[in-house]
Amino acid sequence: MVKKSRFGQILLSRGIIDEGTLDKALQIQMEDTSSNPRMLGEILVNDFKINHDSIFGLISDMYAFRKIEIDAGKLDQSQIKHSRDILNKFPEDFKKEILYKKVLPYQLQVSRRNTLIVLAANPTDKIIEKIPIYTDFKKYEVVYCRLVTINDLIEIISPQKNEFLEILEEAGQQIGELEDIDREAQVDEYALDDEINKSLLVNLFEGSLIEAVRKGASDIHIIPFEKHNVDFFFRIDGKLGIWHRQENTSPEAIASVVKDRAIGVDRFERDTAQDGFAQRMVDGHLIRFRISIVPIVSAEYERRFESIVIRVIDDRNVITNLSKLGLQQQAEADFTKAISKSRGIILLTGPTGSGKSTTLMAALYHVIDPTINVLTCEDPVEYVIRGARQIKISHKLTFDEAIRSILRHDPDVVMVGEIRDKITAETAIKLANTGHLTFSTLHTNDAPSAISRLFKMGVETFLLAYAMNIIVAQRLIRKLCDSCKRPLSEEKWPVALAMGFTEEELKNGLIFEANEKGCKKCNNGYKGRLTICEALYFSADIRKAIVESGNEIDEDLIRSIAEKQGMLSMQESGMDRVRNGLTSIAEIAYATSED
C-alpha cells in the first residue's frame, strides 16, 4: 500500500475522501513520470472530481494562507479598473496563463510597501512564483479565494476572449454577400472556394468550437435554414438553443469549411453520411470533437444540403469517482455491490443522452487496477480510459469481430459499448459466466424491460438470471438554479398533488420551480444536470422470478419484487430529487412521461 501523507490522513479523518479514492490518487501520483508532477490535491480535484474548495481550503489552512471572501456582484468600478490596470502590466501570454490557473493579481496595497495581493484558488500553484520575473511587482501576498469567486471576478475583470469571434466583430459581423454560385446539381467548386477564401467562415466555425466548450455545450448542430442562411445550435443541459444564425451565406460553403477543418471526411462527397473528428487546444485543454455529417432534403431539389452535428468531448467532464455520480442511497449501495463482484454483467439502459457512458466511466475507474486486464470495445471510442486497453474499430476489425477477439485476449474486466444483437448479448453472457466482470449498455426505457429485450433476442432465462448483477435505467434531468429557483406557484399545486406531493410540502415552500427568466448564472432557471434512475439488483428472488417466467418475462412481477427490496421507480427517484429542491416537477413529468 502507498504511504499516506499527513494531508491524506487529514482528508480521511474529515470524511472528504475515502480510503479507496486516496489509494488510487496516490498510485496515480507515484506513477507520474513527468517533469512537473501533479500535487495530490490537483489529482483529487481533476481526476476524481472532489470539491475544489474542500481540498484547497484545507491546504490553505495547513499552510496558513489568509482567506478572503469577495462578493463579485458588488464590485465597484474603481476596483475593476484598478485590477485591470494591474493585469495590463503583465505580458499577454503570462496573463493568460495565470488566469487559466485561476490566479488573479487583484490589488496593490500601497500602505504595505506596494504589496500585490494575489488571489488564488490554489495558493500553492508554482506559477505564482513567476510573478516577480514578469513584472515589477517584487513583493506579493498570496490569498486563498474560493474557485467560484475567482471565476466570477475573472469574468468581470478580464473576461475570456474568443479571437475568432473578435475578428468577425471587427469586420462588422459581415461575411460578405453571396456571389452567383452555380446551383445546378453539381456545385461549382471553384465558385465555392472563392466564397470561402474571401470570407470569414473559418473564423465562425473555429469560434463556435471555442464558445461551445466555454458554455458547456455537449453538441453543436449546424443546419441549413432556407437557401442562404445557416443556423448554429448548442445543446446545453440537454436542450438545443440557437447560438447564431449566419445570413447571406450558402450552406454548402459552411459544410465545406467544416470538412476542410476536420479529419477523416471527404469535402467533395455530399451524397452519403460521413464521420470525422477534430481536436483543438481551448483554454489550455486538448478538446476532441466527433463530427457527423448526413445529407438532408431541401425544398430546392437541386441543392445538396447537409446537416452537421459535432459532439464536444471534454475529458474534464469525465467522472472517475463513483460517489460523484449522485446516485441515490439505495441505488449507489446496490451499484457498488454489483461492480465489486469478480463476475457478472452490469447493464446500463436508457435513451441516447441519458448519461450511460458517464456512469460506465465512473464504474470502470472504480474497478481498474494494475493487477487486472481491462478491455473495452466501443464504436466510436470517445474518452481515453487510463489503465484500460481500448480496442480500435476499423474496416479491418469490425465491432462483431472485436467482440469475439476479446474472449481470446485474457480479460478480467470487459466493457462492451452496446449490446446490439444476439451475438453481442451471447458474448456478454459468456464472458459473465466464465468469470469476467462485464459492463455494457442497452436502449430500453426501464430496468425490467431490459430483461424482456434480452429474452426476445434469444438469451435463455436461466442464463439471464444468473449472468446479471444489476440493471440500472437512468435519465438526465436539468438541475434548478440555486440562485433563482422559487417555490411552486399555487396554480400548479393540483398537478403536484396528483403526482403524490403533500399539501404540507407545498404550503411550506419545499417544492420549487424554475424561474423562466433565469439569471446571469443559469439557462432559463436551470444550471447543470443530475441523474434519476431505477437500479434493479439481481437478488435470489429476482433470479427465481426470471427462471420461472416461462415463455414471457413478467415485468410487473419483477418490478414488484425489486420495489419491495427498496428500488425506487424512475418517477419516485425524480420525486425524491424534487423534495430535495434539486429539480422541478415539470422536469420529472417530461423525463418520465412514458412511465
Side-chain angles (χ1 to χ4, degrees):
M1 183 179 288
V2 183
K3 185 179 178 182
K4 296 174 178 58
S5 63
R6 175 171 167 260
F7 177 53
Q9 296 287 4
I10 294 173
L11 289 170
L12 287 176
S13 67
R14 296 195 181 184
I16 296 173
I17 58 173
D18 57 33
E19 191 95 26
T21 300
L22 179 58
D23 286 341
K24 287 187 177 182
L26 289 170
Q27 189 70 37
I28 292 170
Q29 188 181 40
M30 190 174 68
E31 293 172 355
D32 190 348
T33 57
S34 64
S35 58
N36 187 24
R38 293 184 296 165
M39 293 172 52
L40 177 60
E42 292 179 82
I43 294 170
L44 288 170
V45 170
N46 296 330
D47 293 16
F48 294 89
K49 305 301 183 221
I50 305 299
N51 181 269
H52 184 283
D53 296 317
S54 297
I55 298 294
F56 289 104
L58 179 57
I59 289 174
S60 68
D61 288 338
M62 287 178 61
Y63 291 99
F65 285 101
R66 184 161 65 94
K67 293 184 177 181
I68 190 170
E69 286 288 341
I70 299 171
D71 187 344
K74 296 180 179 178
L75 213 60
D76 60 60
Q77 289 302 314
S78 61
Q79 177 61 61
I80 294 171
K81 184 179 182 304
H82 177 65
S83 299
R84 284 176 180 167
D85 289 342
I86 292 171
L87 275 172
N88 288 335
K89 296 181 184 296
F90 288 79
E92 193 63 31
D93 287 345
F94 185 66
K95 181 170 76 173
K96 286 181 181 178
E97 192 176 355
I98 59 174
L99 293 179
Y100 162 68
K101 292 291 193 79
K102 307 306 176 186
V103 173
L104 178 63
Y106 180 69
Q107 193 173 46
L108 188 62
Q109 293 191 341
V110 180
S111 60
R112 297 179 61 190
R113 297 175 60 188
N114 292 341
T115 299
L116 178 65
I117 303 300
V118 179
L119 308 184
N122 172 10
T124 60
D125 199 309
K126 287 183 168 50
I127 196 170
I128 300 171
E129 299 171 4
K130 297 180 181 180
I131 287 176
I133 299 173
Y134 288 97
T135 66
D136 295 330
F137 300 114
K138 303 305 177 187
K139 187 176 180 182
Y140 62 89
E141 178 191 0
V142 184
V143 179
Y144 169 73
C145 189
R146 292 187 310 126
L147 179 62
V148 65
T149 304
I150 287 273
N151 283 330
D152 287 346
L153 290 171
I154 290 174
E155 187 62 31
I156 294 168
I157 294 166
S158 183
Q160 291 175 310
K161 295 179 180 179
N162 187 327
E163 59 193 62
F164 298 104
L165 297 185
E166 282 186 338
I167 293 171
L168 293 179
E169 288 176 7
E170 288 171 7
Q173 297 182 333
Q174 294 298 315
I175 287 188
E177 294 298 319
L178 281 170
E179 295 292 325
D180 291 329
I181 295 176
D182 183 2
R183 299 303 181 192
E184 297 303 320
Q186 200 69 25
V187 174
D188 186 334
E189 299 295 345
Y190 293 107
L192 206 56
D193 268 337
D194 184 54
E195 181 181 355
I196 294 168
N197 291 335
K198 74 178 182 182
S199 72
L200 297 171
L201 290 179
V202 170
N203 294 306
L204 175 61
F205 171 62
E206 294 293 340
S208 72
L209 298 182
I210 293 172
E211 285 300 290
V213 173
R214 289 179 176 171
K215 290 180 181 294
S218 61
D219 300 89
I220 305 167
H221 288 237
I222 304 175
I223 310 167
F225 177 74
E226 298 176 342
K227 41 173 125 171
H228 300 319
N229 304 308
V230 180
D231 284 341
F232 285 69
F233 287 85
F234 286 172
R235 187 180 293 279
I236 299 175
D237 294 338
K239 299 291 183 182
L240 278 175
I242 191 159
W243 170 69
H244 176 75
R245 171 168 291 167
Q246 184 54 48
E247 300 178 339
N248 299 322
T249 304
S250 70
E252 293 96 336
I254 288 186
S256 294
V257 167
V258 174
K259 292 174 182 177
D260 285 344
R261 308 287 290 177
I263 298 170
V265 294
D266 180 357
R267 172 188 166 172
F268 301 104
E269 178 58 69
R270 295 190 178 87
D271 295 320
T272 187
Q274 297 191 76
D275 292 314
F277 70 95
Q279 58 184 33
R280 302 287 187 273
M281 290 296 295
V282 180
D283 300 330
H285 290 280
L286 181 65
I287 309 295
R288 297 188 302 282
F289 301 90
R290 194 181 77 215
I291 300 170
S292 170
I293 304 171
V294 295
I296 58 175
V297 174
S298 164
E300 300 172 86
Y301 71 92
E302 75 278 5
R303 300 290 289 273
R304 300 167 78 182
F305 287 165
E306 293 167 294
S307 170
I308 301 170
V309 175
I310 303 171
R311 168 62 55 90
V312 181
I313 302 171
D314 188 342
D315 288 324
R316 293 172 296 178
N317 297 329
V318 174
I319 296 175
T320 56
N321 187 344
L322 203 60
S323 64
K324 295 299 176 183
L325 281 175
L327 298 176
Q328 283 139 315
Q329 187 174 1
Q330 179 76 38
E332 183 175 344
D334 286 342
F335 191 63
T336 303
K337 184 164 58 172
I339 67 175
S340 298
K341 295 183 178 183
S342 61
R343 57 169 292 277
I345 296 175
I346 285 79
L347 190 63
L348 276 295
T349 80
T352 302
S354 60
K356 299 187 297 294
S357 296
T358 300
T359 303
L360 278 179
M361 291 300 105
L364 279 174
Y365 274 107
H366 184 83
V367 302
I368 282 175
D369 183 275
T371 63
I372 61 175
N373 177 17
V374 179
L375 293 174
T376 76
C377 182
E378 311 155 78
D379 184 20
V381 173
E382 288 194 350
Y383 295 101
V384 177
I385 305 169
R386 189 177 54 254
R389 305 176 205 178
Q390 295 173 270
I391 297 174
K392 185 177 180 181
I393 305 299
S394 68
H395 66 281
K396 292 185 177 180
L397 180 63
T398 66
F399 187 81
D400 290 344
E401 290 168 342
I403 289 290
R404 293 190 188 95
S405 69
I406 280 176
L407 291 164
R408 303 188 296 273
H409 211 69
D410 187 29
D412 295 293
V413 176
V414 175
M415 196 261 274
V416 179
E418 182 186 346
I419 292 179
R420 303 180 176 189
D421 48 32
K422 186 178 180 181
I423 294 173
T424 49
E426 288 179 341
T427 305
I429 296 287
K430 187 174 182 180
L431 281 164
N433 287 333
T434 52
H436 303 90
L437 190 63
T438 307
F439 296 85
S440 193
T441 66
L442 191 67
H443 290 284
T444 60
N445 289 329
D446 57 29
S449 66
I451 301 171
S452 295
R453 175 83 178 277
L454 291 169
F455 178 66
K456 289 173 183 175
M457 281 183 182
V459 181
E460 294 178 24
T461 53
F462 179 82
L463 293 175
L464 264 177
Y466 290 96
M468 291 285 176
N469 289 357
I470 195 170
I471 299 175
V472 179
Q474 66 180 65
R475 302 283 188 282
L476 285 179
I477 55 171
R478 290 183 295 172
K479 187 175 180 292
L480 285 171
C481 173
D482 291 329
S483 299
C484 68
K485 66 183 181 183
R486 62 194 181 196
L488 188 68
S489 53
E490 285 194 34
E491 62 266 22
K492 297 176 184 175
W493 284 15
V495 176
L497 292 168
M499 285 185 69
F501 295 99
T502 66
E503 194 169 334
E504 184 181 1
E505 289 173 322
L506 297 168
K507 286 181 177 178
N508 290 336
L510 301 177
I511 309 301
F512 294 88
E513 66 178 351
N515 181 348
E516 294 176 358
K517 293 182 180 178
C519 65
K520 65 178 182 179
K521 295 183 178 180
C522 69
N523 298 300
N524 301 321
Y526 294 95
K527 181 65 176 176
R529 291 195 288 176
L530 51 92
T531 306
I532 59 171
C533 73
E534 52 184 36
L536 175 57
Y537 184 80
F538 275 57
S539 64
D541 288 340
I542 294 290
R543 297 186 199 279
K544 184 171 181 286
I546 295 171
V547 170
E548 295 176 352
S549 290
N551 294 325
E552 191 171 346
I553 300 294
D554 189 341
E555 294 180 21
D556 291 335
L557 175 61
I558 290 170
R559 177 176 291 282
S560 174
I561 296 170
E563 288 179 352
K564 286 177 183 176
Q565 295 173 174
M567 181 189 85
L568 294 177
S569 69
M570 197 75 73
Q571 189 175 67
E572 288 168 341
S573 174
M575 289 172 67
D576 180 67
R577 299 297 198 192
V578 173
R579 287 190 172 100
N580 286 298
L582 297 173
T583 191
S584 67
I585 290 175
E587 272 296 291
I588 299 305
Y590 177 77
T592 62
S593 57
E594 73 275 6
D595 298 334

